[in-house]
Amino acid sequence: MAEAAKKARPEFRNIHVTQIARYRLPWAGKVSILHRISGALLFLLLPFILYLFELSLTSELSFAKFSDLLSHGFVKLVVLALIWGYLHHFCAGIRFLLLDVHVGVAKEKSAKSAVTVLIVSLLLTAVCGLKLFGLF
């Protein structure tokens, strides 16, 4: 009887740093990690966001400087990364709020909502990126 109880218990092992690249994380785990990365990105680039916001609102001259700054390709890529960070953080945050009230907690529904968050945030980022680069 004691042997059956020992076999029924799952065994969890820690993985080594060298095994991280091969570790298969479920979709919900990937969305969770990306949610943390997007939050850190938004936090670390907050001074840049506030600087751009100030330039866009202060005066016509500062708005011209803002427009000139946004004409550079590298700045557009940074702004696109910020757009993705915000949209992913927002969509994943809604998913996590729904999970907090026990909506979609089942494994299949959780995986489906995680994939939905990834698709929606990437599509919205693509639309904003097309507008940012003047293609839409």
Side-chain angles (χ1 to χ4, degrees):
M1 189 84 165
E3 290 179 23
K6 283 185 180 179
K7 290 181 182 179
R9 293 185 61 171
E11 183 177 333
F12 299 103
R13 296 183 180 173
N14 294 331
I15 63 172
H16 193 264
V17 174
T18 59
Q19 298 171 323
I20 289 176
R22 293 179 305 206
Y23 188 72
R24 293 192 50 184
L25 203 58
W27 288 109
K30 292 174 186 174
V31 167
S32 177
I33 289 172
L34 287 174
H35 183 73
R36 293 169 190 235
I37 291 171
S38 64
L41 176 77
L42 290 171
F43 177 74
L44 292 174
L45 291 179
L46 187 62
F48 179 67
I49 296 168
L50 292 175
Y51 173 70
L52 289 179
F53 186 62
E54 178 192 9
L55 279 181
S56 69
L57 293 178
T58 305
S59 66
E60 291 181 23
L61 187 62
S62 67
F63 184 77
K65 186 177 178 182
F66 169 77
S67 298
D68 184 48
L69 184 64
L70 271 178
S71 66
H72 300 300
F74 179 73
V75 176
K76 283 185 181 182
L77 289 176
V78 171
V79 170
L80 186 63
L82 287 169
I83 290 170
W84 169 81
Y86 173 74
L87 290 172
H88 180 81
H89 202 75
F90 181 78
C91 293
I94 291 174
R95 176 183 178 268
F96 291 131
L97 285 174
L98 289 173
L99 288 173
D100 284 344
V101 294
H102 303 288
V103 174
V105 180
K107 186 175 183 178
E108 298 82 20
K109 289 184 179 181
S110 176
K112 187 176 179 181
S113 69
V115 171
T116 303
V117 162
L118 286 174
I119 291 171
V120 167
S121 66
L122 288 175
L123 285 176
L124 289 173
T125 303
V127 169
C128 291
L130 289 173
K131 182 69 175 166
L132 178 66
F133 285 96
L135 302 173
F136 183 60

